[in-house]
Amino acid sequence: MRTVKIVSAAAVFAFATALPPAASPASERSPVPPAASDRSPVPGGGSALTLTLSVADGTGRGVSLTCDREGGSHPDPSTACGLLRRVGGDLSKLTYDIDMICPEEYLPHTVRALGTWEGRPVWFGRTYDNRCEMTALTGPLFHL
């Protein structure tokens, strides 16, 4: 057992560049985050995201989430929208329970969010060592 630690960007980069690239169809490739100049609010824009979870064992799922009127295909839109409201739609600021004790299991969980929050473009993507670490840092947002 171990306590979840937030890894520095340098360590993540070193680990990511040490692995050979995985082949994936074009439809599964990560979208390119919008440039800083493209992050201005869209007039009349709402809060709607597509959330995806891919697990190294080959399982995965994607759902929609709308927070103007809580809904979409997310299993718990009320809780998910509450988490997003708490951080103003900035998923990089999510810290659910960083003192959660997780097993030293390695089964990578990759999460992505793409859409808009209050009219501003949102792009988020991270890979966590396992489901416990993912939950410790994002709460139930990606429990799809």
Side-chain angles (χ1 to χ4, degrees):
M1 300 258 186
R2 66 182 168 99
T3 302
V4 174
K5 302 288 184 205
I6 298 175
V7 180
S8 73
V12 171
F13 178 76
F15 179 75
T17 57
L19 297 176
S24 66
S27 63
E28 292 181 2
R29 291 189 183 130
S30 299
V32 175
S37 61
D38 296 338
R39 295 180 193 228
S40 56
V42 176
S47 298
L49 299 169
T50 298
L51 305 173
T52 60
L53 167 66
S54 301
V55 184
D57 66 4
T59 60
R61 182 154 187 230
V63 298
S64 62
L65 176 67
T66 57
C67 293
D68 299 322
R69 287 189 205 151
E70 294 173 356
S73 57
H74 192 283
D76 188 358
S78 179
T79 300
C81 290
L83 285 169
L84 290 169
R85 283 186 190 102
R86 193 181 78 204
V87 296
D90 185 351
L91 281 75
S92 67
K93 293 181 180 176
L94 283 174
T95 55
Y96 187 69
D97 185 0
I98 59 172
D99 292 324
M100 198 169 162
I101 297 176
C102 293
E104 293 221 22
E105 166 190 47
Y106 186 71
L107 181 61
H109 282 56
T110 300
V111 299
R112 291 188 181 88
L114 183 62
T116 59
W117 182 261
E118 297 177 349
R120 291 182 312 273
V122 171
W123 183 90
F124 176 82
R126 292 257 164 82
T127 299
Y128 301 98
D129 285 350
N130 54 48
R131 183 175 177 92
C132 180
E133 184 177 283
M134 176 190 76
T135 299
L137 296 168
T138 65
L141 183 63
F142 291 98
H143 286 192
L144 313 178

